[in-house]
Amino acid sequence: MILSASTRTDIPAFYSEWLIERIRKGYVLVRNPYNACQVTKYRLDPEVVDCITLWTKNPIPILSHLKELRPFHPYFFVTITPYGKEIEPKVPDKRMVIEAVRQLSKELGKDSLCVRYDPIIITNRYTKEFHEKVFRQLISVLHGHVTEYVISFVDIYEKTKRNFKEAMPLTQDEQEWIADKFSKIAKEYGIVIKTCAEGIDLTKYQIENSGCTSRQVMERHLNTSLKQRKLVPDRQYCTCIESKDIGAYNSCLHGCKYCYANYSEKAVKSNYLKHDPHSPFLIGELREEDYIKLAKQESDIDGQIRLTFMD
């Protein structure tokens, strides 16, 4: 099985010590975000966890812990966007993040990470032409270290409307203009661009709609074939294989205005005060009314070595 750490919050950036403590203890408790009394216990054991995917805007705090992560075959999704502090108040200097991506690539290999240019937002400052220029710069400085990029266009959730009133959805013409320009850059540098959970078909621009944690990506990363499983998409148009998230909503301190996982800054601050690096929960503690269910876990590796010529 695959554990996700996490699409609900940035665990590598803000909760690295907690994650490593849970690995040492061998288990983690996860509260159901839609039923607070329902708790799932996951074993953190390489015998049943094939991969931990780590989603982050700042992998720097976890770089010193890669040795303890290795038994879980970590795969990093690092988001790098071109926005300033007016949109991403607490995201660190992008040059530092880029250097961290280079280090991840050197230590884990190019098949163990993907860069997300996500979300793409168009404003008077961040124009289509601006994105084309910055994307080319990003590809150039990471050439030889990253071979796959995922792009997506901003989704206007209710939370986004409240926290980022100036955000507007891109038109189809704007999306296709960017897809055309980005695909030409990709061809120059020999990289792959993909989308995930996007309603628009961009395959005519050689942009795949194969998702982030696709079966192909995970098999290449793990160098083995995986058992066939029914897709359980997290969102409409999502084609990723199933994973279980160990994070919690309303706990990411980056403060990005477009964030779908935070309700408000007040909720985030309140939850962060409840974080204990030694607790089995990311946020809070076990309560009397909680019901713990042991997760059914098994490896999806079928034991067949994956050969490169099968691509």
Side-chain angles (χ1 to χ4, degrees):
M1 71 172 302
I2 297 172
L3 286 183
S4 174
S6 156
T7 58
R8 298 172 181 171
T9 190
D10 196 327
I11 288 177
F14 302 113
Y15 305 103
S16 288
E17 296 296 331
W18 173 83
L19 177 60
I20 298 306
E21 176 73 5
R22 296 327 311 154
I23 286 174
R24 292 169 183 166
K25 295 295 185 181
Y27 75 99
V28 62
L29 297 182
V30 182
R31 193 175 299 282
N32 186 328
Y34 309 108
N35 183 349
C37 295
Q38 188 179 88
V39 175
T40 303
K41 181 177 181 179
Y42 294 101
R43 291 165 54 201
L44 293 178
D45 182 344
E47 290 296 316
V48 294
V49 178
D50 302 317
C51 173
I52 295 179
T53 56
L54 298 109
W55 308 73
T56 184
K57 286 184 171 69
N58 178 18
I60 297 169
I62 208 165
L63 291 178
S64 61
H65 298 298
L66 293 182
K67 183 177 180 181
E68 289 187 83
L69 280 173
R70 281 183 185 274
F72 295 91
H73 305 104
Y75 189 97
F76 281 81
F77 290 95
V78 183
T79 298
I80 303 177
T81 46
Y83 311 117
K85 297 297 183 182
E86 80 283 5
I87 294 179
E88 298 177 339
K90 297 181 182 177
V91 175
D93 189 307
K94 306 301 169 65
R95 291 168 294 185
M96 296 170 59
V97 177
I98 287 170
E99 185 52 42
V101 169
R102 289 197 185 105
Q103 186 173 337
L104 285 172
S105 181
K106 289 176 182 177
E107 296 200 27
L108 300 177
K110 291 183 286 188
D111 286 340
S112 296
L113 75 156
C114 171
V115 167
R116 294 177 59 91
Y117 192 89
D118 165 31
I120 296 172
I121 301 166
I122 290 182
T123 66
N124 290 336
R125 177 179 178 182
Y126 303 108
T127 62
K128 303 192 306 293
E129 294 77 13
F130 176 88
H131 283 292
E132 178 189 10
K133 178 182 177 181
V134 172
F135 190 70
R136 178 180 291 279
Q137 291 173 343
L138 179 63
I139 302 304
S140 175
V141 297
L142 287 176
H143 185 54
H145 297 280
V146 180
T147 58
E148 291 197 347
Y149 293 76
V150 169
I151 66 170
S152 74
F153 306 103
V154 65
D155 290 313
I156 310 299
Y157 300 99
E158 287 303 317
K159 295 176 186 177
T160 311
K161 290 179 184 178
R162 181 175 59 253
N163 299 324
F164 191 16
K165 294 181 175 61
E166 58 268 43
M168 296 293 292
L170 276 68
T171 66
Q172 181 169 331
D173 286 346
E174 289 171 330
Q175 293 181 51
E176 296 210 21
W177 189 95
I178 288 173
D180 178 51
K181 300 298 182 183
F182 279 23
S183 68
K184 289 174 180 175
I185 296 170
K187 187 175 181 180
E188 287 180 41
Y189 285 91
I191 62 165
V192 173
I193 300 180
K194 303 184 294 182
T195 61
C196 186
E198 292 291 331
I200 187 171
D201 183 1
L202 300 176
T203 53
K204 64 182 176 182
Y205 301 106
Q206 292 76 54
I207 294 178
E208 303 175 11
N209 187 29
S210 56
C212 302
T213 51
S214 67
R215 182 184 180 86
Q216 181 185 27
V217 166
M218 287 293 102
E219 288 187 336
R220 183 172 66 247
H221 168 57
L222 297 169
N223 195 32
T224 188
S225 56
L226 299 174
K227 298 172 185 176
Q228 292 281 355
R229 298 285 187 189
K230 182 180 179 181
L231 292 179
V232 184
D234 288 331
R235 294 182 293 166
Q236 188 179 17
Y237 308 117
C238 179
T239 58
C240 296
I241 60 177
E242 183 180 17
S243 63
K244 298 298 182 181
D245 203 298
I246 63 171
Y249 291 114
N250 293 308
S251 60
C252 181
L253 277 72
H254 285 309
C256 301
K257 285 192 172 182
Y258 51 75
C259 182
Y260 64 88
N262 287 346
Y263 179 79
S264 68
E265 185 178 356
K266 182 179 179 180
V268 172
K269 288 180 178 179
S270 174
N271 279 335
Y272 189 68
L273 291 174
K274 300 173 187 175
H275 171 68
D276 177 357
H278 304 293
S279 170
F281 290 93
L282 180 65
I283 303 297
E285 301 286 349
L286 192 65
R287 306 175 308 198
E288 283 188 17
E289 62 268 30
D290 289 337
Y291 169 75
I292 300 177
K293 177 183 69 174
L294 185 63
K296 181 180 179 181
Q297 294 176 261
E298 61 180 30
S299 172
D300 284 330
I301 293 175
D302 67 6
Q304 298 183 43
I305 298 174
R306 184 179 172 279
L307 302 177
T308 55
F309 65 75
M310 291 175 65
D311 292 341

